[in-house]
Amino acid sequence: MVVSNRGPLSFRQDVHGTLQPLPAGGGLVSALRPLLAGTRATWASVTMGAADRAAVDQGLMADDRVALLPIMVDDDTYRGAYDVIANSTLWYCHHHLFDLPRRPRFDRYWRQAWDSYRRYNQAAADVIARSAEPGTVVLVQDYHFSLLGRMLREARPDLPTAHFCHIPFADPNMLHVLPDAAADELLDGLAGFGACGFHAHKWEAGFTACYATAGLAPPRTFVSSLSPDVGGLPAEASGPECARAADALRAEAGDCRIILRVDRVEPSKNILRGLLAFEELLIAYPQWRGRVVHLALAYPSRQGLAEYLAYGAEVTHVAERINASLGTPGWTPILLHVEDDRPRSLAALTLYDVLLVNPVRDGLNLVAKEGPLLNAADGVLVLSHEAGAWEELHGVGAEEAGAGAGAVGVNPFDVTATAEALHTALSMDAPERAARARWLASAVRSRRAEDWLADQLAAAQ
Ligand code: F6P
């Protein structure tokens, strides 16, 4: 049984009151869906509102490739658990993104939301405890379910469990921004799992350090990074829809080289410094003006959160300002697209000359692996030291004679250094580009998404 907040299917009610299925967004669901399809797994996920609950009541929450198990929660519980605790507290804490002079504020409203988070985790524990056959292995995904390990251990000690965290884990000093009782409850909740897994060793180190600081024994840990679907993704990217999208993008970019980014608009992704670095590149190296474009595919995420909306508005504003100051009648420097479009994203990954993945802190950044897998232009990966994928893709120490290996690394906070890295990538000679691209593609192909799932199954106890 796999457990995640978001499942493969969700619904909205149209103006006539009819329930319409929505394609599920986000990397986690698109990674899990092909892995679970056609297996004997059950996928338990939470209803995200009234339309989902109505779909469950009407028997519409069903998928012919995988058994679905809905975890029903009311709107207040969901909003407190998902918006306030999971996404505005724990997500910011683990990404070290609290704006400490202003936030967080742990007041009486926050404490009500923490109660909602507890109820949400308990709702999951109750459904799993009722439905799981004896001995079912339960693989729980992400920070929405930090308390579930202890609850399941108490309700069903026979079930082997593992928790996998797709985001970074806070260092002890950041975890202890949380109210003491909440930090204790969180560490105890996670310690109830049979094992806790991470995409990168540095997140595992933060996790065990939190237990050491609290004087507690950590649960067993493991590191296993997710990989793209190395068979299915290239097949999808070579299909007709992506080919049409690639033609459109080529026409839009003209003869210019392409610096690409593909991200959901989240404060961790560092889209603003990416735009500013591109501006600095054009100022420091004016020879690139009219010869390169920054194709920024920046798609909506968590639109219920004011900070996300403000961040998205700032991205648009900064892109427009740079275009107004540096663009010419025949050349728009930044091509910003904000509507989610998967064929266009995959097409762009086949085309880029440079892929910029510069998060301030991020669990993995699957796109840093998808790019080298799909790219057909010997594109260079410029990758933040703070991305989980950096551990696997830096290539340091693996250089072939005379040529580089792996990604070009950047400190994500340093706009000037990022501009220099973009210049290095654009100026790189063809043999080095080819050598790096070959190294990256083979590093990505050395692991399959199935390995990641198998590691969780093996770790669960
Ligand atoms: O893609 C990263 C991620 O943060 C996952 O860790 C997480 O489960 C997912 O996004 C959640 O996205 P959403 O809130 O849109 O469901």
Side-chain angles (χ1 to χ4, degrees):
M1 183 179 293
V2 171
V3 186
S4 63
N5 168 68
R6 189 183 287 277
L9 196 55
S10 107
F11 287 82
R12 74 175 173 85
Q13 206 150 27
D14 70 16
V15 281
H16 310 294
T18 313
L19 293 172
Q20 302 287 354
L22 288 174
L28 178 59
V29 168
S30 44
L32 279 174
R33 185 190 276 123
L35 283 175
L36 301 184
T39 68
R40 290 187 300 124
T42 294
W43 189 341
S45 64
V46 187
T47 53
M48 299 196 290
D52 280 0
R53 293 194 300 272
V56 173
D57 291 342
Q58 294 172 30
L60 299 174
M61 195 62 91
D63 187 312
D64 50 7
R65 307 297 321 278
V66 59
L68 301 184
L69 179 63
I71 300 163
M72 302 274 257
V73 295
D74 61 72
D75 287 347
D76 280 353
T77 301
Y78 191 76
R79 296 267 69 93
Y82 178 78
D83 283 341
V84 181
I85 302 300
N87 287 334
S88 301
T89 306
L90 299 181
W91 190 92
Y92 278 85
C93 180
H94 290 317
H95 284 88
H96 293 185
L97 280 176
F98 281 143
D99 175 14
L100 288 176
R102 295 184 190 81
R103 294 207 157 68
R105 296 171 187 164
F106 300 124
D107 54 11
R108 61 196 183 284
Y109 301 112
W110 185 89
R111 284 177 163 76
Q112 284 166 9
W114 185 260
D115 288 341
S116 296
Y117 186 69
R118 223 186 258 131
R119 274 201 307 281
Y120 166 110
N121 275 258
Q122 191 62 56
D126 292 347
V127 168
I128 296 163
R130 266 200 313 273
S131 325
E133 301 287 339
T136 299
V137 179
V138 183
L139 305 180
V140 177
Q141 311 298 307
D142 250 330
Y143 52 100
H144 313 87
F145 295 110
S146 310
L147 309 182
L148 181 53
R150 176 65 55 215
M151 293 169 174
L152 275 180
R153 188 64 66 204
E154 276 161 14
R156 287 290 304 270
D158 64 305
L159 301 177
T161 62
H163 181 271
F164 196 91
C165 187
H166 290 264
I167 63 174
F169 200 88
D171 288 345
N173 52 358
M174 198 51 76
L175 190 75
H176 283 284
V177 170
L178 299 182
D180 294 349
D184 291 349
E185 196 175 340
L186 183 137
L187 292 177
D188 182 59
L190 288 166
F193 287 106
C196 288
F198 302 89
H199 286 300
H201 292 90
K202 58 182 169 183
W203 314 141
E204 181 195 42
F207 179 76
T208 50
C210 286
Y211 284 87
T213 306
L216 298 168
R220 222 158 66 77
T221 57
F222 64 102
V223 174
S224 173
S225 80
L226 179 59
S227 282
D229 177 359
V230 296
L233 201 67
E236 188 180 351
S238 58
E241 250 192 303
C242 291
R244 273 195 299 279
D247 289 345
L249 286 174
R250 267 274 58 112
E252 193 182 2
D255 294 331
C256 289
R257 303 180 71 189
I258 297 174
I259 298 175
L260 172 68
R261 76 173 309 126
V262 186
D263 285 305
R264 297 206 293 172
V265 178
E266 295 177 358
S268 55
K269 302 295 183 187
N270 210 16
I271 303 173
L272 286 174
R273 287 196 192 81
L275 296 173
L276 297 173
F278 181 63
E279 179 183 40
E280 203 151 310
L281 168 83
L282 298 174
I283 291 167
Y285 300 98
Q287 67 268 33
W288 292 118
R289 295 189 194 182
R291 293 177 53 214
V292 63
V293 288
H294 182 20
L295 176 59
L297 307 183
Y299 299 148
S301 176
R302 302 183 194 138
Q303 301 275 284
L305 300 185
E307 276 196 59
Y308 279 60
L309 296 176
Y311 189 73
E314 206 175 340
V315 164
T316 303
H317 171 76
V318 169
E320 283 171 357
R321 178 187 63 67
I322 295 170
N323 281 342
S325 82
L326 294 172
T328 62
W331 172 65
T332 306
I334 296 170
L335 308 174
L336 174 67
H337 290 282
V338 297
E339 332 70 48
D340 200 341
D341 183 335
R342 182 173 167 88
R344 180 178 58 204
S345 304
L346 297 183
L349 290 172
T350 68
L351 293 178
Y352 67 80
D353 297 285
V354 180
L355 177 63
L356 177 61
V357 184
N358 64 327
V360 293
R361 188 172 158 96
D362 213 341
L364 179 68
N365 279 119
L366 194 60
V367 69
K369 295 185 172 188
E370 292 169 338
L373 179 68
L374 297 182
N375 187 257
D378 286 343
V380 180
L381 173 63
V382 174
L383 182 59
S384 163
H385 300 149
E386 303 304 322
W390 175 250
E391 283 188 9
E392 289 171 275
L393 300 181
H394 59 64
V396 173
E399 290 86 352
E400 298 170 15
V408 173
V410 281
N411 166 352
F413 304 100
D414 190 336
V415 172
T416 305
T418 306
E420 287 298 327
L422 294 175
H423 177 64
T424 302
L426 287 168
S427 315
M428 200 174 273
D429 62 32
E432 183 168 355
R433 290 172 65 94
R436 284 179 183 262
R438 253 197 326 274
W439 188 94
L440 285 169
S442 107
V444 172
R445 285 207 183 87
S446 68
R447 257 182 85 76
R448 299 170 319 139
E450 288 82 353
D451 299 331
W452 169 74
L453 194 58
D455 286 345
Q456 288 179 68
L457 282 168
Q461 53 180 326

